[in-house]
Amino acid sequence: MAVSESKLQHSPTLNTILMVEETLKDTDSIITIPELKKKLPKKVNHNTLKVILEYLEESNKIAVSLKGITWIFNTNVNLRNVVHNGLEL
């Protein structure tokens, strides 16, 4: 995967990524980017936030739609096994 030069200028730290992850996990429903920015404990550069959201979406931790962002990652091993080994309809 090629990393663009603009992404290198806004590389997030691990602490920033974890902060965004925790905020999204604690959100009960769909949230927009402006709402997310207000909920974050610290300010995050918009371009840095976009890089973090791209990473979280690529790693299947969030779903992004026209309505907003929602946390979808589940750590339940049993649920992941059922989904992985389940029957296709």
Side-chain angles (χ1 to χ4, degrees):
M1 177 170 88
V3 177
S4 67
E5 203 170 303
S6 64
K7 284 187 181 180
L8 291 177
Q9 293 175 359
H10 299 284
S11 295
T13 65
L14 178 58
N15 286 338
T16 306
I17 294 170
L18 294 174
M19 177 181 67
V20 172
E21 278 189 2
E22 287 301 315
T23 302
L24 287 169
K25 280 184 204 176
D26 293 340
T27 302
D28 294 333
S29 62
I30 295 174
I31 187 169
T32 63
I33 291 177
E35 291 169 340
L36 175 60
K37 284 182 173 182
K38 287 179 185 176
K39 279 191 153 196
L40 291 171
K42 295 182 181 179
K43 286 189 175 188
V44 177
N45 177 289
H46 182 74
N47 291 327
T48 303
L49 183 59
K50 284 178 23 181
V51 170
I52 293 170
L53 294 175
E54 284 177 22
Y55 159 72
L56 293 174
E57 185 176 25
E58 287 174 10
S59 61
N60 294 317
K61 291 186 175 185
I62 62 170
V64 179
S65 70
L66 293 175
K67 293 183 180 182
I69 304 159
T70 190
W71 185 261
I72 60 170
F73 186 74
N74 192 315
T75 58
N76 185 321
V77 176
N78 293 331
L79 178 61
R80 280 192 277 155
N81 288 337
V82 169
V83 170
H84 185 269
N85 300 322
L87 296 174
E88 276 191 45
L89 299 177

